[in-house]
Amino acid sequence: MPIKATNKGGSNYEPVSAGTYLARCYSMIHIGTIEENILGQTKKLNKVRITWELPNERKIFKEENGEQPYSISKEFTLSMNEKATLRKFLESWRGKGFTEKESESFDVTALLGKPCLLSIIHKTAKNGNTYAEISSVSTLPKGMTCPEQVNPSFEFNYNPFNLEKFDSLPDFLKDKMKQSEEYKFAITPHITEAMASKEMDNETDLPW
């Protein structure tokens, strides 16, 4: 099912150095519609989390996995409005603007596997930790190539809702997604099935 836009790591995690890197998009997670406070106003925003790997920048994060590429994520509101951050980001990525027809409905999952150049800066969080943030994106210069993808492509959306995929996500992201309207709607059948199964188990234990 397409994900369409319409008109920190842990305390011991060392962020990749600031700079410009070859990158490839490999993960697309629909967070859903959540409430966010923007300039003192509470707004409902439909969010997506996009993740890139930096194939030339590698480190051993877990001994059992060996060297793996750094990855970096950025969240966007799923909007292709002319002033929307996502639209401006995508136009910079592909090196050209969207026509009015193209911007009416854009499936962001089409970005999976696509290469780009990412400029990364360092910022300091309120707790004093340093974290990496994507400052800009651009298309690859003519003649430049990006290494083959290392991480398997990963896509999560709510239709259909895949509980196994959801459970594989990090806790901080699952907690955020659980606040979304889409999660609450999608999980209802699973809750109903679990309750029905429990009731059946209880019935089996009855001394008839």
Side-chain angles (χ1 to χ4, degrees), residues 31 34 52 118 123 130 132-133 142 160 166 171 184 188 204:
I31 294 171
I34 58 175
W52 294 260
L118 290 180
K123 288 191 173 183
T130 298
E133 182 177 280
K142 207 168 186 178
F166 179 81
D171 288 341
K184 291 171 185 174
T188 302
T204 304

Side-chain angles (χ1 to χ4, degrees), residues 46-62:
N46 190 10
K47 309 282 286 188
V48 65
R49 183 181 180 87
I50 303 175
T51 304
W52 294 260
E53 64 179 25
L54 312 179
N56 290 334
E57 303 300 315
R58 304 193 183 206
K59 182 180 177 180
I60 297 178
F61 300 100
K62 292 183 178 179

